[in-house]
Every structure is written in C-alpha cells, then in structure tokens.
Amino acid sequence: MNAREKNHDEGPMTRADNPTVPVVPLPPVAAPAAATRPARGAAGQSHKHESARAQVAGAATYVDDILEARGTLYAAPILSTVAHGRLLGVDTVAALAMPGVRDVVLAGDIPGDPLLATFVHDEPVFASDTVEHIGQVIGLVVASSVMQARRAARKVKLDIEELPAILKVRDALKAENHVLPPVFVRRGDAAQALASAPHLLSGQLEVGGQEHFYLEGQIAYVLPQEQNQWLVYSSTQHPGEVQHWVSHALGISNHAVRVECRRMGGGFGGKETQAGHLAVWAAIAANKLKCPIKLRLDRDDDFMVTGKRHPFAYDYSVGFDDTGRLHGLKLMMAANCGFSADLSGPVADRAVFHTDNAYFLEDVEIASYRCKTNTQSHTAFRGFGGPQGVVLIETILGDIARHLGLDPLDVRKRNLYGVEDRNTTHYQMKVEDNILHPLLSKLERSANYRSRREAISAWNAKSPVIKRGIAITPVKFGISFTATLFNQAGALVHVYTDGSVQVNHGGTEMGQGLNTKVAQIVADELGVAFDDVLATASDTSKIPNASATAASAGTDLNARAAQYAARNVRDNLAQFVAGLDGCGAGAVSFAGGLISSPKGSRPFPEVVRMAYANRIQLWSDGFYRTPKIHYDKTTLTGRPFYYFAYGAACSEVAIDTLTGESRVLKVDILHDVGTSINPAIDIGQIEGGFVQGMGWLTTEQLVWNEKGLLSTHAPSTYKIPATGDIPEHFKIDFWPEPNREDNVFGSKAVGEPPFMLAISVLEALKEAVAAARPGAVRLESPATAEHVLKALKSA
C-alpha cells in the first residue's frame, strides 16, 4: 500500500481525532446552485502566452539577463582558420598580454574525457591534434569583459599544416567518407517495376541547408557550487543532455551538475545538442579558474561554430503510368553531415521515413548515405530530416505531372495512401488515421484551386515578363521520437494552501507555448483558472533524465505527464471530499474553481486548506510513456510513430523572368491539429513554420567558398524572410477532427509539420518557370533570384 492509499484509507481527520486541527469542514453550497453555474475550461481557448506580458515589457529573463555572481569572468572561443589540417601549435603569448585577459583554456585543461559524450563519441571537446572545419573551437580566452575576451581570442596564433579538405557532399560520396554506415531500405522489386513501367524519368536534386537564426544566440553561464557541484544556466532544448555532457567532461557524476533553463529565445533544433558544447566549454574554464564563467557567442561566431540543417543530394529513377501513378522508385539520398555524426543518423533515418510523404510506394529502393565533410557538424532543425525526404518525392511528382502534361494536384491525388488498401508505409507501419483524401479535396474547394489555375494560365498567356504559378502539396508527418526510449516524460504538480498551483516538467520553453499549454491542461484537471497555475523553469534537479523538447512531442509528452500528476492530486482531494460528504470519489467533480459533490460545492482553496489540515498529500509526480510504438533501427521497420499529423497548403507565386525575383502572393492552409489546446498558439506555429520553410526554399542560401569558409555568416549575406515577404493573403484553417489516438485533449503536434507545407511554394515556382519556357524544370533550392534565372535559361 503506497502513501496515497494510506491517506485515502484513513479518511478525513476530524476535530474529534485531533483537537489541534484548526479547520472545521465547511458546509457545501447547495447542489442546485452549483449545477446552474457554467464552467469554461482553460484548454481549447486562446489564452495568452504565459510570458507574453513579461516579454513585451522586457521583463522576461533569458540566460544573459541573469544577475551575475561576484567574480564572473567571460570567455570567447579560439577558432580554427583552416578547414582540415594538423594542429602543430597554439601561441597564446599575444593574447595573454591583452588587457583584462586572465587565462587561456585548451584541450590539456579538460579534467574528464577529451571527447564529448555524444552517441557516437566522435567529436573532441577542443581540437587538439587535428582541425576539421573553419570555426572549430580549439580553446577559450577568459577575460574580465566580453569584448576583452573576444579581442584577445583573435590574437591567438595557430600553427596548422593544411590537409586536403572535402567540402561537397558528392565528393564525400565518391571518396566513401562517412560519419556513419549507409542504410538501405527496400520494399517490393523496384528494378522490375522500373523495367516494366510505361514511362521513366531520372534526375538529380540538391537541397541546401539552413541556419537556425534563433534570436537569442548560444549561451551558457556556469557557476561553481560547494563540494564540486555545479550550476549551469543553459539556453538548451535538452537540459538532461547538458547535465550529462558537463559531468562527463569534468569527470564527475551527473548528480553533481544541475542545469536550469527558464526559456530560450528560439531553438528550432539548434539547441538540442549544440547548446551542450557551450556549457562544456564554460564548465572547463570555470573548473580551471575556480570562478563563474559566462560564454555567449556573437552572431558571426555562432554561424561559424554551430551546425545547420543538413544539406542533401539525391539521385532518382522513377517509373509511372499514363495517369502519373508510380510504378517503381529508386532513390539515393546523401546527407552532408559535416565533420562529426552529431544527430545525423536519426536525421537521415527520418528523411528515409518521410520520403513517402503522403504517397504509397509499392516498389521502392532507398540508399541513405551519411557523408563526412570538412564543415560544421550539422544537427537537428525543425522537421529533423523530414523536409529533406518530403521535398524529394514532391519534386518527383511535380516532374511527372509536367512530363505528362497533367495537373500536378491530380498526380498527387492518384498516389495518395488509401484507407482500406495501399495503406502501409515502406517501413511497414500501417497508416490508420488517413484523412488525406478529404483534407486535400476540402482545401482544393476552399482555395478555389481549379478556377485560379485557369485564371493563372490565362494571365501567363498574356504576360511576357511576369509569370505566375500555383501548387497544392500535402504533408503526412510522423509524431514521436524514432528512438523509442526518448518517448517518455515526467512532471511535478504542487498545490499550495492558498489554492495556487505550480507545475514543473521536463520540457523546455523556446517561445512555442509549451508552458502555456501545460498550464491549461493542469488548470482543467484541477478545475481552477488558468491564471492560478504557474509553470516554472526546466530543472534537472526536479525532473531527471528528461528527453529533449523536440520531435514536435513536447506537449504530447509533458502535458500528459503533468495531467497525470494533477490527476493524482485531484484524486486525493476527491477522496477527501467523498469522506466528508459520504459519497463515492467518482461523484466529486472539479470545475470553475469549485469542488462539487452531490451535496453541493466548495471553493477549491477552501478544500485545499481543509485537506492540508487533514494531512492529505497536495503534490504529486506524473509519468507518461507513449504507447504502441516500436522500431527496429537495424532494418528501419516497425511503428516508430504514435500517429500522423496531416495538412495541405495552396500557394500562388509570381516570378520576374528578367530578374529572377519572386514573390509569394497567396497562401491557403488547411492543417490537422486535432482538438487545439490553444488555437492562437497553434495558428502562430503554423504561420511561423510555413514562413521558416519558405525561407529555406527561397532566400536562405549557405555558401562555403573553395577554402571551406562559410561566406554567409551574418544577416548582411544570409537572408531570412522579413515582414515584406509575408503574403497579403495568408489564410489558415483547422481540420475539424480530434486526434484518433488517445492523446492529451485530443490534440496533435504542431511544431514541425507546417514547415513542410512551404514546399508548395517551391512547386508553384516551378510551375511559373514552366509557364515561361518549355521542357523539364531544374530549379535549384533555395530558389534565389539567381537560381530562378538559371532555371529559366536551362534547356
């Protein structure tokens, strides 16, 4: 019998049991009056973001805003200036002579493992014998001010013997230079299907990477504590991994390191693993100098040091019939991983998983290569490989449609997954919640796709310079970590004697509204107002071993764990009230700030005070693990996802055939969020995801020169979408159906799936190019003005 069961079995204490009990049970309010009072839940409403008021007032605390402890010093990185070479020496004399400089920290100062505690264990904390990309961190300069440290870091002289560098993914592929072994997935007989197909197309495609460009750059603040314990403030999506990495580098146990993150100023995947680097570097410096150390990268260094979205190169051969239905598909996918594995394995795996997007692939053969280049180690980014898989199949279907002279939407609809048949993925997961056909048809009608396509055709016939294009593309995105062990979460809910509630969970807030949604769910579970619930900073001393806030699963996991924790407290209170009123606990309800039984209602705070006086537990933990999922990583088969999120977008664009400039004119989106916990937040996520995806495919171009230097390392050369790029017509609707799986509030994940809806922009641009010149369209991504002009001029 556990403690909760003992409390419940003992029943409520009365003054007769203990005359010192100060609270006399209050008589309930008459039942009929309570029954007529409507109670509107917090979930399902567009509550403001829990930090919105503080953020607009400049009062929201980020890591760099935390009051600094006395004696804090500042670190700046020493960066490699060569893409690949032998590090023969590091001359720090000039740097140490600079004003304010206290010390230099190098690989020899690492007290623990000189390699980071990554899954593959292939990345040094500091480069020591070899450098493998321009911008690799060799050490730190520590000084009395930020600018003193940065100036001195540039005075460090490096003696590097240059070695041949591999900078392009196809060169790495040719050299068989890999960070991980290749993976192959097959279903049916692709070779035979291709041989017997009425039509064949073959081609190549390259898709660029993407800089995360979070508003708050990478930062860590490390403070030594007593008895070799450490407090780390980190702007991270994964505090538990930062804890593990820091303890590993310092050679101490995990329990000696506490990591806290109240919020991030954006993450997008770039702070899933790579926030850990800064925390480790700062901790090593703090260990050497025995004082607090803050390390914040400036924007240029952030670009040069951190990884991006993985660029991909593809080869494909596809067979199809006269209607555009696929008859065999052979694909080669080469991921540019950079100099180390980081998360490249699961990113490339998810690209394989999402190569089907919304379409049934009967005979398919996929080869996935994880290539090593002498660039930054690429990492997680919103979609986590999914966009790189989806863009390939959408490119292929668009090419097929133009080859046959068919409407691309019709070709896409002919290849959709079915409901009764043609409903199993190439990784052997049955698609059980398919809404693709009705969703696409609804968007086709609501966006007036057919009539607009006719009008655009008429426009293009009369307009010699400005050409327009329109496209609808769907998305089917799997929700769960593909590594099954990460699909778990914990939470704590505390109810205080005044009736206020505090919730803590293992997820992290990066502006996406996770804490807001969690607070809404907890408020409804306890029947209190949203404003009575406070979500607090992520903290490894409260929730241990938490998974990263990633894979779009933050709310699915953490809100459910918090709901379970709140439910335990609610059950304790329900049994207490049942004892007072002589009814079953199931007859006690919580809503509108009242706790009601058949005898009547009492205010929530009053019941809480009575329960405390009667020694009823008013806090609890909650734990959740995602059901049904399983996955064999050696064969890439199983059920890696709990469910799929669906959506579709209709985008209309215009291009200037003289300059290559383009503009997105109209966007209509129909997206599947299940039953929305917070409609305003979900719309914001859809808008933001779409625009970020639009940037990836149109303006955000990463350029490395022949020496391996990232030339586009600042806002002056790297262009994210601005307010002027947002289409005037930007309409978003929700698909009106709850999640068919038992997910929290019937909701669905919304962080990543909308990103891939922006592929409709790329396909619309191809349609505009096709209107200007006959033949196949080869439009490189991102579709910058230069690339659009190149496509217009290509034969």
Side-chain angles (χ1 to χ4, degrees):
M1 181 178 292
N2 61 35
R4 293 191 191 108
E5 289 170 337
K6 287 179 181 178
N7 281 342
H8 297 160
D9 286 352
E10 288 170 0
M13 183 184 293
T14 66
R15 187 169 291 273
D17 296 318
N18 185 346
T20 65
V21 174
V23 177
V24 176
L26 296 177
V29 178
T36 60
R37 177 177 176 176
R40 191 182 189 192
Q45 309 300 319
S46 291
H47 283 283
K48 66 181 183 297
H49 190 287
E50 50 88 22
S51 295
R53 188 177 296 276
Q55 286 169 323
V56 299
T61 301
Y62 296 86
V63 173
D64 207 27
D65 301 319
I66 294 170
L67 187 65
E68 293 173 356
R70 182 184 302 172
T72 295
L73 298 178
Y74 306 89
I78 302 164
L79 306 182
S80 170
T81 55
V82 173
H84 189 206
R86 294 187 184 91
L87 181 59
L88 304 178
V90 180
D91 183 351
T92 63
V93 173
L96 289 169
M98 293 284 287
V101 173
R102 301 297 186 87
D103 210 338
V104 172
V105 180
L106 300 170
D109 297 312
I110 303 168
D113 192 336
L115 295 178
L116 291 167
T118 63
F119 294 114
V120 182
H121 211 57
D122 66 342
E123 186 174 348
V125 173
F126 293 126
S128 55
D129 300 321
T130 305
V131 294
E132 298 195 82
H133 76 91
I134 294 177
Q136 185 172 3
V137 175
I138 293 169
L140 302 175
V141 172
V142 180
S144 299
S145 76
V146 173
M147 294 312 299
Q148 287 174 335
R150 290 177 180 172
R151 292 187 190 107
R154 284 156 175 76
K155 293 293 185 179
V156 174
K157 297 177 182 178
L158 304 175
D159 183 7
I160 302 175
E161 177 189 343
E162 289 197 46
L163 297 172
I166 296 177
L167 302 175
K168 296 181 179 179
V169 66
R170 290 194 183 272
D171 292 339
L173 193 64
K174 184 177 180 180
E176 298 185 357
N177 205 35
H178 303 143
V179 297
L180 292 165
V183 170
F184 303 94
V185 175
R186 300 176 180 88
R187 180 165 69 175
D189 190 336
Q192 178 58 36
L194 288 169
S196 60
H199 302 277
L200 289 173
L201 278 179
S202 295
Q204 292 187 330
L205 176 69
E206 296 207 12
V207 175
Q210 187 177 23
E211 165 64 30
H212 299 87
F213 219 108
Y214 22 66
L215 290 180
E216 177 203 30
Q218 298 277 9
I219 184 170
Y221 183 32
V222 178
L223 295 92
Q225 307 290 290
E226 65 170 72
Q227 301 181 66
N228 201 26
Q229 296 174 49
W230 299 84
L231 172 59
V232 180
Y233 293 106
S234 174
S235 181
T236 176
Q237 295 173 237
H238 198 176
E241 185 164 74
V242 171
Q243 178 193 42
H244 175 51
W245 281 25
V246 168
S247 63
H248 186 81
L250 295 180
I252 58 179
S253 298
N254 285 1
H255 69 205
V257 178
R258 176 187 159 213
V259 179
E260 180 179 310
C261 178
R262 173 58 183 92
R263 62 174 60 84
M264 290 164 275
F268 309 118
K271 297 176 181 177
E272 184 172 346
T273 59
Q274 301 209 355
H277 296 71
L278 276 84
V280 167
W281 298 332
I284 292 167
N287 181 72
K288 181 179 182 181
L289 279 79
K290 309 302 179 187
C291 69
I293 298 289
K294 181 185 282 188
L295 173 56
R296 175 173 59 82
L297 299 183
D298 69 16
R299 184 64 65 180
D300 290 271
D301 285 351
D302 207 314
F303 265 86
M304 299 302 294
V305 171
T306 63
K308 325 298 177 191
R309 180 184 298 280
H310 289 68
F312 267 62
Y314 315 86
D315 295 336
Y316 65 87
S317 296
V318 60
F320 50 96
D321 64 17
D322 292 341
T323 70
R325 177 166 282 192
L326 297 174
H327 282 263
L329 186 59
K330 187 173 183 179
L331 306 173
M332 187 286 297
M333 313 172 72
N336 181 341
C337 302
F339 82 98
S340 69
D342 195 87
L343 293 171
S344 296
V347 166
D349 286 349
R350 191 174 272 265
V352 171
F353 285 136
H354 286 82
T355 299
D356 62 339
N357 189 23
Y359 312 109
F360 179 68
L361 308 180
E362 188 166 12
D363 296 288
V364 60
E365 181 179 317
I366 304 171
S368 173
Y369 296 93
R370 295 92 198 273
C371 300
K372 180 175 181 176
T373 60
N374 293 114
T375 63
Q376 293 84 350
S377 185
H378 298 310
T379 190
F381 201 130
R382 196 177 201 162
F384 201 78
Q388 293 96 315
V390 173
V391 74
L392 175 58
I393 192 65
E394 294 297 343
T395 294
I396 290 170
L397 291 176
D399 287 349
I400 289 171
R402 285 182 287 272
H403 179 81
L404 294 173
L406 300 175
D407 186 327
L409 179 59
D410 292 333
V411 172
R412 290 184 166 94
K413 290 173 78 171
R414 287 191 186 100
N415 286 286
L416 291 174
Y417 276 102
V419 176
E420 299 299 330
D421 59 0
R422 293 170 52 87
N423 59 0
T424 303
T425 68
H426 55 294
Y427 48 91
Q428 305 305 315
M429 177 175 172
K430 188 175 180 180
V431 182
E432 298 174 337
D433 55 0
N434 187 354
I435 58 172
L436 286 163
H437 289 270
L439 187 146
L440 269 175
S441 296
K442 183 174 181 179
L443 179 63
E444 178 186 341
R445 293 190 302 271
S446 64
N448 299 312
Y449 170 79
R450 301 291 179 181
S451 61
R452 285 169 62 189
R453 183 173 170 83
E454 290 179 4
I456 288 169
S457 180
W459 164 281
N460 288 335
K462 296 178 180 179
S463 175
V465 176
I466 305 299
K467 300 293 184 182
R468 294 186 176 184
I470 189 170
I472 290 181
T473 60
V475 66
K476 173 186 67 67
F477 192 79
I479 304 299
S480 290
F481 288 96
T482 52
T484 304
L485 76 162
F486 294 133
N487 294 287
Q488 57 176 300
L492 293 172
V493 168
H494 298 167
V495 176
Y496 296 94
T497 53
D498 64 352
S500 63
V501 181
Q502 185 183 97
V503 56
N504 188 271
H505 57 87
T508 53
E509 175 63 50
M510 61 195 91
Q512 84 280 36
L514 174 59
N515 282 347
T516 307
K517 289 186 174 183
V518 170
Q520 287 177 270
I521 294 297
V522 170
D524 281 357
E525 196 66 29
L526 295 173
V528 300
F530 169 73
D531 290 338
D532 290 336
V533 181
L534 175 68
T536 57
S538 304
D539 187 333
T540 56
S541 68
K542 293 184 178 180
I543 306 297
N545 313 316
S547 298
T549 304
S552 297
T555 299
D556 289 6
L557 294 173
N558 295 288
R560 185 64 110 185
Q563 183 181 45
Y564 287 170
R567 187 168 295 171
N568 289 334
V569 176
R570 187 191 69 182
D571 289 347
N572 290 349
L573 292 173
Q575 292 198 37
F576 172 67
V577 170
L580 293 177
D581 291 356
C583 64
V588 179
S589 62
F590 295 69
L594 299 173
I595 301 178
S596 303
S597 76
K599 287 190 175 181
S601 301
R602 300 176 178 87
F604 182 85
E606 296 293 345
V607 175
V608 167
R609 283 192 286 271
M610 291 160 54
Y612 170 75
N614 284 276
R615 296 181 296 168
I616 303 300
Q617 183 173 328
L618 295 173
W619 63 271
S620 184
D621 62 302
F623 180 79
Y624 174 70
R625 60 179 184 179
T626 308
K628 296 188 178 182
I629 53 176
H630 57 89
Y631 162 56
D632 184 341
K633 66 179 182 180
T634 61
T635 61
L636 263 68
T637 58
R639 179 175 177 160
F641 308 120
Y642 186 31
Y643 62 87
F644 294 103
Y646 299 92
C650 178
S651 294
E652 182 180 339
V653 303
I655 63 170
D656 185 327
T657 58
L658 301 181
T659 66
E661 293 172 289
S662 65
R663 179 171 292 278
V664 180
L665 303 176
K666 294 182 179 181
V667 174
D668 294 88
I669 292 173
L670 179 58
H671 198 70
D672 168 34
V673 300
T675 302
S676 176
I677 296 173
N678 189 309
I681 284 176
D682 286 348
I683 288 172
Q685 285 291 293
I686 294 168
E687 289 173 339
F690 183 92
V691 172
Q692 192 172 52
M694 190 174 77
W696 172 52
L697 295 170
T698 58
T699 63
E700 298 185 41
Q701 185 175 22
L702 294 165
V703 178
W704 284 267
N705 69 16
E706 69 281 357
K707 292 288 189 180
L709 173 69
L710 179 62
S711 302
T712 52
H713 57 81
S716 58
T717 51
Y718 185 84
K719 298 299 183 182
I720 64 172
T723 54
D725 297 307
I726 309 302
E728 289 186 19
H729 176 96
F730 197 177
K731 182 173 179 285
I732 296 171
D733 291 313
F734 291 161
W735 178 255
E737 182 183 348
N739 194 334
R740 296 182 189 178
E741 294 293 349
D742 181 20
N743 204 46
V744 61
F745 198 67
S747 67
K748 284 192 175 185
V750 72
E752 292 173 300
F755 183 96
M756 282 145 284
L757 296 178
I759 294 171
S760 60
V761 171
L762 182 63
E763 289 302 299
L765 288 169
K766 292 176 184 177
E767 288 292 291
V769 170
R773 49 166 295 282
V777 176
R778 293 290 176 262
L779 178 57
E780 296 179 36
S781 176
T784 60
E786 294 86 349
H787 288 161
V788 170
L789 274 180
K790 183 178 177 181
L792 287 165
K793 294 177 180 179
S794 63

